[in-house]
Amino acid sequence: MTAIVGGGVPLLDLKAQFRSIEDEVRAAVDRVLTSQHFIMGPEVEALEREVAEYSGCAHGIGVSSGTDALLVALMAIDLKPGDEVITSPYTFFATAGAISRLGARPVFVDIDPASYNIDPARIEAAVTSRTRAIIPVHLFGQCADMDAIDAIARRHSLAVIEDAAQAIGAEWNGRRAGSMGRAGCLSFFPSKNLGAMGDGGMVVTNDDALAERIRVLRVHGSKPKYHHKIVGGNFRLDAIQAAVLRVKLRHLDSWTAGRQRNADAYRRKLGHLRPETAFLPEPGPWRHVYNQFVIRVPERDRLLESLRKVGIGCEVYYPVPLHRQECFADLGYGESSMPHSEAAARETLALPIYPELTELQMDAVVAAVADHLR
Ligand SMILES: *Cc1c(COP(=O)(O)O)cnc(C)c1O
């Protein structure tokens, strides 16, 4: 029998995180309240410098969300209606939504079933004369194979825009997520590894001209004020979010270490399960930041049900791959056109991995999973 830890185990416990930094956060928010400077300004600029440095980039441009980071990055490379952008169908909707909102066409390339990231070996066959860019998604906190993707992009002169929404601080071959493409897009949605107390995001880049263009697009294309050479939008980040994020950034490495510790513990404690019964994420050669710890089991829905019954938080990321979404029906992808993404959507389940997870809680999760799969 599985012992239930009082109230079960949530998938994510932001209250526990808040308790550990409450005084710092309240002081930071107070600073903004005293200043009454709410939009952009010194807190946002300081956060931009700090996140850019953390991500190995020369520039950071704070924006209103991860979704808007993708949108404004694609606007900045001048993506046009009819252009094609290659990306993964196994991701959060925003990745392809941003492409579509500019009138361009998402071209889906199936994933590598072990990493859940876009399979570089399949990308080249999807390149056409209309392809402008590739958006690799560093899913669950693990970088896509950026050496292979970079080589393809160079051969065909394509822009690489990294969707690093789940991967701040992750690395590929010694380079940080966000620093390897023309631009990297970060999300500060509360459930991300660096989460705001509301919406927020950032574009990071080493390209001076692109950074300048994104800064202008962020404020309706205005430069100087009230003079518009290009049409942008309101993609601004507010100062309270920036102040909170600056506090949290100081803790991010220790939180990441906690996530990695928990991932190792899961592998140790569930390692006895046969690989046909449960496939656990592999640590990989580069820094994985475990935004999610996603296991794969053949009868996923039954496991989901029994975990929920004993109060273990878990979630399916993502139940419907993007090529099967109703809004993309006109793209014409057939039922089994992306078999690895479809299998992942049927068989994967995210377990609690947040850094404040106690040993007792982890043991409750492990016992419930092992009980069910035995
Ligand atoms: C969260 C997320 C986004 C969007 O970020 P928001 O801040 O929620 O707009 C984009 N792509 C991926 C892969 C994400 O996980």
Side-chain angles (χ1 to χ4, degrees), residues 57-228:
C57 285
H59 306 279
I61 306 101
V63 295
S64 28
S65 67
T67 301
D68 285 343
L70 287 160
L71 185 65
V72 78
L74 293 176
M75 290 169 80
I77 63 161
D78 209 19
L79 193 72
K80 291 262 194 307
D83 288 347
E84 295 178 358
V85 180
I86 292 172
T87 193
S88 166
Y90 192 60
T91 173
F92 179 63
F93 180 76
T95 315
I99 299 166
S100 219
R101 283 169 68 187
L102 295 174
R105 179 186 176 93
V107 172
F108 297 116
V109 166
D110 208 1
I111 55 170
D112 165 355
S115 69
Y116 307 112
N117 283 324
I118 193 167
D119 182 353
R122 297 168 201 273
I123 291 178
E124 212 142 22
V127 173
T128 73
S129 59
R130 298 185 153 224
T131 311
R132 287 284 320 282
I134 306 173
I135 308 185
V137 182
H138 305 317
L139 202 69
F140 304 145
Q142 182 178 38
C143 285
D145 181 343
M146 291 303 289
D147 292 319
I149 291 167
D150 194 44
I152 297 162
R154 278 170 200 278
R155 272 202 292 282
H156 300 277
S157 306
L158 308 175
V160 175
I161 307 291
E162 300 172 64
D163 183 339
Q166 301 182 7
I168 186 169
E171 290 178 3
W172 181 266
N173 211 349
R175 294 180 299 164
R176 284 256 153 131
S179 71
M180 297 174 272
R182 283 262 332 260
C185 302
L186 303 173
S187 166
F188 303 132
F189 185 79
S191 69
K192 303 296 161 81
N193 287 22
L194 180 63
M197 295 186 171
D199 276 310
M202 193 172 290
V203 183
V204 289
T205 180
N206 281 306
D207 182 325
D208 299 349
L210 194 76
E212 173 59 16
R213 203 168 145 80
I214 292 171
R215 280 194 192 96
V216 174
L217 285 166
R218 171 174 64 176
V219 289
H220 291 291
S222 159
K223 193 191 179 181
K225 208 171 183 182
Y226 305 125
H227 295 260
H228 305 260

Side-chain angles (χ1 to χ4, degrees), residues 338-359:
M338 306 276 145
H340 293 305
S341 299
E342 281 152 42
R346 273 193 312 273
E347 298 176 349
T348 61
L349 186 65
L351 300 179
I353 186 75
Y354 61 89
E356 298 82 7
L357 196 69
T358 64
E359 206 167 325

